[in-house]
Amino acid sequence: MNGSPLGQLKTDDPKKAKHRITLVWLACIVLYVGAVIAGWAVAAGGNGAASGGLGFAACFSIAVTGIVGCFGTTVMRKYPTPPAMGIFLGVVSVLSMQYLILSAIFAGQAENASQDDDESEYSNDVAFSMFSCFLFIIFLFFSTLVWTYKDHLITVDPLAPGEVYDAPTSAAEPVVEGNATGFTPPTPAEAGAGGAVTQYAGASQGVSM
């Protein structure tokens, strides 16, 4: 297992794991900025109904990625619970597959634009196809890291069966041997004369003699 690429990524140092996650997440942000610029160029420079549809697909995917980025940053910083991290991991994995599909679609559109001698549309489609391919790779790698370092990233789940504390419904009564008042009567040797017995009788009624 340690000889595999996934095994080589594993580490027992939480700081090193979080540092790697941060670096990859920053790389995702840098590539996302490039995809924003390329998507804006596709939406602004396209001609025809097909180009308009692809421009909408580019802008919509970029907007969804921005929302996922804000959500992921908030989860990793403030709410790294198992449910939140699981949802975030699933969304990033699906987003990675989405960019793989977009990369293939825009590559095909770039080929059509080259046959029509539309250099502007060709360059825009190629640029967005390349950034989509890069985002597919980096998001897939990020998902792998999150899964690999999940023990270092996820905090204790307060709803886990081992963490739930069942508070008692009422305060526990102290177990006291003796009579119903909770006072243990002295033995005859401890009581001594009749005055001691009288003192005990008053004390059992809450009166200090």
Side-chain angles (χ1 to χ4, degrees), residues 68-88:
V68 172
C70 295
F71 171 75
T73 302
T74 303
V75 166
M76 289 188 293
R77 286 186 176 182
K78 297 183 179 181
Y79 310 105
T81 60
M85 290 298 294
I87 293 173
F88 176 54

Side-chain angles (χ1 to χ4, degrees), residues 178-194:
N179 56 11
T181 61
F183 184 85
T184 302
T187 62
E190 294 174 346

Side-chain angles (χ1 to χ4, degrees), residues 103-161:
S103 178
I105 292 176
F106 277 89
Q109 181 65 18
E111 184 178 358
N112 295 334
S114 65
Q115 295 177 357
D116 296 337
D117 296 329
D118 192 342
E119 294 296 333
S120 177
E121 184 174 354
Y122 171 78
S123 60
N124 293 336
D125 292 338
V126 168
F128 192 79
S129 177
M130 291 179 59
F131 276 108
S132 296
C133 182
F134 293 151
L135 287 173
F136 156 68
I137 296 173
I138 197 68
F139 279 137
L140 184 62
F141 183 58
F142 179 79
S143 301
T144 304
L145 286 183
V146 171
W147 174 257
T148 304
Y149 300 144
K150 61 182 181 298
D151 294 334
H152 302 309
L153 299 176
I154 297 176
T155 58
V156 177
D157 186 4
L159 298 180

Side-chain angles (χ1 to χ4, degrees), residues 30-41:
V30 171
L31 292 176
Y32 170 72
V33 173
V36 169
I37 298 174
W40 181 264

